[in-house]
């Protein structure tokens, strides 16, 4: 089948109706640079159409790329918006291959990669399983977030396809078709990392293929991720790490890991730094030695023969030893003590009663846009990784009050690094949240969907600025509303014009409120941890009911 290139250059007459848009884009590119302009426009499009695309979070893409290891040739056969290939560490003479059945996604990925790197990019349009655009490729690595639960994946047409080395997938096992496609496009010894639904590890219809993957040493690891790692966010997805066998004998042991304990709260998402540390440490030890000593509740290497029963169930939780009982009881005691201390601190920090009889003041107002134009503050947007590998402050980190946990792919454009006293504002989600950067957070790169405000300390108090930006009415008047998303225009946020001494008086109160909020949030996390631990202890017999 002839390959359809991902990007087709439009003709002059085709461009004419879009001339005003192109002129505006060119002006923005002259100010921000081509790559940053493209990423800005793309983020606005993705934010306005969240249900149209299945996105791979940058943190997960980085973890998958690290599991695959350094590679000169990399393929993503279901590239979507290009997150996985963007996470690949650049190398000399590197070649990136991408394919997607949606023409707009294939073109988008090819353009993003071309703007990000000088690496050779070969993008193509087409249904990968039915019309593979790279049939002769033998890549060093394959990264893939395939579509889940497809019924019409080509079962009837592809019964005799040579890619099914490990067995013909059932109609309900589209994910195992993608697994075998990935293996077929690897060179001997090459590595594939696929994001998989948890059902693929245990469905009876796929047990023969799973068994053959194990016997021949192709399946190297199954890693259960926390809930919230990627869409669908309510399911703990798995990562499968596979290697194309480069010799006849299969590997004797398979790594099974479950990092579900690092799930975050609400919109905060997983603790990605803890997930990365646990997964990569276990994987590297397993790779280096061929085995891994038991890490109760977290990871172990298991002989292949122990998994080859009637079910060939690869769900890690079914095979991992539970955490030691003594450790569990000691942890519960420590959590209870920390919760008591935190609740006492919460009582001390509770704000005093408010005076209900104060008249509403009539302050003269200004906007963030006016302050930026006047030099009272500098305004920056995030999303570039630069060349230095530093922690990334994500919008979820700001919303949940947690430490920088994200990653960004390297780029030629410098990252925006935070400094003490900066005020960071998320632009999505409709919540009135800000964060003042302290010494512990300073130096992190600014992630996507965040705006950084750097006030002149002689003109603006940072806590005064952060506090007034959190006003509900202020956020409402500065927000635009799409059908499924709310976006904040930070330039339209308002601030009263007050003398510096008065700013500091308000700033001190806002800072005290922030501390109270932080302690409340911490108490909630400890309380959830204690309740969950008590349920587990009572049900597994390590905690007595009286």
């Amino acid at each position: 089948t002839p390959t359809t290139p991902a990007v087709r250059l439009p003709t002059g007459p085709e461009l004419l109706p879009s001339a005003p848009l192109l002129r505006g884009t060119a002006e923005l590119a002259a100010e921000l640079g081509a790559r940053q302009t493209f990423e800005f426009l793309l983020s606005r499009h993705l934010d306005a159409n969240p249900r149209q695309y299945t996105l791979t979070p940058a943190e997960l893409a980085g973890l998958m790329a690290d599991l695959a290891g350094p590679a000169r040739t990399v393929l993503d056969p279901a590239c979507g918006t290009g997150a996985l290939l963007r996470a690949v560490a650049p190398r000399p003479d590197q070649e990136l291959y991408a394919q997607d059945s949606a023409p707009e996604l294939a073109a988008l990925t090819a353009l993003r990669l071309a703007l990000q790197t000088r690496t050779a990019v070969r993008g193509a349009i087409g249904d990968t399983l039915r019309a593979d655009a790279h049939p002769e490729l033998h890549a060093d690595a394959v990264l893939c977030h395939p579509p889940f639960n497809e019924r019409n994946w080509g079962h009837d047409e592809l019964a005799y396809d040579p890619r099914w080395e490990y067995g013909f997938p059932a109609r309900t096992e589209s994910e195992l078709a993608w697994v075998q496609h990935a293996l077929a496009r690897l060179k001997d010894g090459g590595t594939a990392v696929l994001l998989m639904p948890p059902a693929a590890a245990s469905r009876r219809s796929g047990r023969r293929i799973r068994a053959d993957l194990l016997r021949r040493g192709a399946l190297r690891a199954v890693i259960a991720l926390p809930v919230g790692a990627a869409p669908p966010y309510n399911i703990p997805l798995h990562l499968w790490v596979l290697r194309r066998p480069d010799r006849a004998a299969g590997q004797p042991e398979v790594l099974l890991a479950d990092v579900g304990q690092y799930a975050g709260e609400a919109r905060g998402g997983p603790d990605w730094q803890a997930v990365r540390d646990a997964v990569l440490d276990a994987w590297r030890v397993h790779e280096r030695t061929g085995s891994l000593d038991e890490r109760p509740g977290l990871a172990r290497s298991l002989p292949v023969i122990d998994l080859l029963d009637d079910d060939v169930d690869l769900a890690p939780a079914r095979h991992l030893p539970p955490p030691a009982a003594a450790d569990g009881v000691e942890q519960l005691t420590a959590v209870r003590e920390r919760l008591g201390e935190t609740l006492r601190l919460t009582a001390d920090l509770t704000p005093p009663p408010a005076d209900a009889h104060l008249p509403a003041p009539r302050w003269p107002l200004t906007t963030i846009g006016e302050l930026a134009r006047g030099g009272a503050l500098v305004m920056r947007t995030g999303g570039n990784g630069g060349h230095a590998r530093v922690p990334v402050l994500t919008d979820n980190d700001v919303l949940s009050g947690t430490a920088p946990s994200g990653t960004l792919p390297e780029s030629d454009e410098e990252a925006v690094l935070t400094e003490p006293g900066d005020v960071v504002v998320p632009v999505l989600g409709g919540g009135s949240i800000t964060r003042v950067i302290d010494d512990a957070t300073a130096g992190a790169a600014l992630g996507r969907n965040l705006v950084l405000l750097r006030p002149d300390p002689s003109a603006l108090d940072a806590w005064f600025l952060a506090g007034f930006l959190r006003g509900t009415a202020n956020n409402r008047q500065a927000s635009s509303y799409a059908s499924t998303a709310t976006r904040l225009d930070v330039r339209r946020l308002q601030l009263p014009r007050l003398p510096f001494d008065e700013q500091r008086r308000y700033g001190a109160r806002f800072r005290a409120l922030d501390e109270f909020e932080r302690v409340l949030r911490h108490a909630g996390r400890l309380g959830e941890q204690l309740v969950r631990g008590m349920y587990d202890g009572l049900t597994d017999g390590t905690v007595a009911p009286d």
Side-chain angles (χ1 to χ4, degrees), residues 391-414:
V392 175
L393 184 69
T394 69
D395 53 348
N396 281 331
D397 297 331
V398 175
L399 292 167
S400 59
T402 53
S405 65
T407 58
L408 286 170
E410 291 188 18
S411 71
D412 291 333
E413 297 184 42
E414 290 299 316

Side-chain angles (χ1 to χ4, degrees), residues 387-525:
H387 293 289
R389 298 291 286 181
V390 298
V392 175
L393 184 69
T394 69
D395 53 348
N396 281 331
D397 297 331
V398 175
L399 292 167
S400 59
T402 53
S405 65
T407 58
L408 286 170
E410 291 188 18
S411 71
D412 291 333
E413 297 184 42
E414 290 299 316
V416 177
L417 301 182
T418 58
E419 297 179 2
D422 289 344
V423 177
V424 177
V425 186
V427 297
L428 293 183
S432 54
I433 294 293
T434 59
R435 180 161 177 173
V436 178
I437 300 300
D438 57 15
D439 290 335
T441 312
L446 193 69
R448 287 184 63 238
N449 301 320
L450 292 174
V451 170
L452 180 145
L453 305 175
R454 183 165 293 160
D456 178 349
S458 66
L460 274 177
D461 180 84
W463 286 101
F464 163 78
L465 172 64
F468 271 97
L469 297 190
R470 290 191 60 171
T472 302
N474 200 4
N475 274 256
R476 188 176 295 129
Q477 64 83 28
S479 296
S480 58
Y481 303 91
S483 59
T484 56
T486 303
R487 188 171 189 92
L488 182 67
D489 184 348
V490 175
R491 291 180 177 273
R492 290 171 52 191
L493 287 168
Q494 296 176 337
L495 203 65
R497 294 182 181 273
L498 296 180
F500 194 69
D501 287 344
E502 189 71 358
Q503 290 183 32
R504 295 185 67 180
R505 195 164 72 91
Y506 273 97
R509 188 66 181 272
F510 286 136
R511 187 169 192 163
L513 278 175
D514 182 84
E515 177 69 7
F516 177 61
E517 181 181 38
R518 185 188 64 78
V519 173
L520 275 180
R521 189 183 285 124
H522 185 55
R525 290 171 181 157

